[in-house]
Amino acid sequence: MKLSKDELNNLISMFNSSDADNHVIAFQAIENSGLTTSELIVLYKYSKKDSTAWGKQAPNSYKLLVPILSEQIGSLSSARVLGLLTTHKADKLLVELFIENFVRDLTSMLGNIGYDMNKISIDVKIKDDGQSTES
């Protein structure tokens, strides 16, 4: 079952919440939704939860991720995520979601190291090639 971009963003927001109950509910939603491989990869990346939490809270989803993420399960780079999304032919909206979260994190990092974010604009647009599918 594919979730909408807003639904996936809501799950990411729940993981980023300071309320631990939101984390539990997000894991339950993931475990009960039958998400695509690409959706799981993006959620794993931006959940900010380690492999132990995923293994406990969403064991079936975690089992799907382990062989795909292999040795990088502990520290999943953005470049690796983008490569996996390409390999799994993720649809345009999921790639946009990944890039939006990547840009958000990049913007935060740049602001934290002193760049005036009012003077920086990062715009990303994905052109539709008409060949997006999900495996």
Side-chain angles (χ1 to χ4, degrees):
M1 169 186 191
K2 289 172 82 171
L3 296 181
S4 72
K5 187 173 159 184
D6 287 340
E7 290 168 326
L8 291 166
N9 257 330
N10 287 341
L11 288 171
I12 291 169
S13 293
M14 290 174 77
F15 280 122
N16 291 309
S17 164
S18 60
D19 184 352
D21 288 340
N22 279 337
H23 306 171
V24 171
I25 293 167
F27 274 128
Q28 288 172 347
I30 288 167
E31 194 69 353
N32 294 319
S33 294
L35 300 176
T36 66
T37 301
S38 296
E39 289 171 325
L40 288 173
I41 291 167
V42 171
L43 289 170
Y44 184 85
K45 170 69 176 169
Y46 291 111
S47 70
K48 300 182 181 172
K49 298 294 174 195
D50 63 20
S51 59
T52 303
W54 274 80
K56 271 186 175 176
Q57 299 289 328
N60 294 324
S61 299
Y62 181 70
K63 285 177 192 171
L64 293 172
L65 288 171
V66 169
I68 295 164
L69 303 181
S70 59
E71 71 278 351
Q72 293 186 341
I73 196 103
S75 176
L76 187 59
S77 72
S78 295
R80 177 78 173 131
V81 171
L82 192 54
L84 289 168
L85 293 178
T86 301
T87 299
H88 290 275
K89 296 181 171 63
D91 66 29
K92 176 183 170 185
L93 293 178
L94 191 57
V95 175
E96 283 179 2
L97 174 70
F98 164 75
I99 292 173
E100 287 169 5
N101 280 279
F102 174 78
V103 168
R104 181 202 65 213
D105 289 353
L106 177 61
T107 301
S108 175
M109 180 193 68
L110 289 171
N112 288 339
I113 60 174
Y115 284 92
D116 182 356
M117 293 314 297
N118 293 320
K119 295 180 180 180
I120 296 174
S121 175
I122 302 172
D123 298 312
V124 178
K125 184 170 184 154
I126 298 175
K127 295 179 183 176
D128 187 12
D129 64 3
Q131 298 178 10
S132 298
T133 60
E134 173 65 35
S135 59

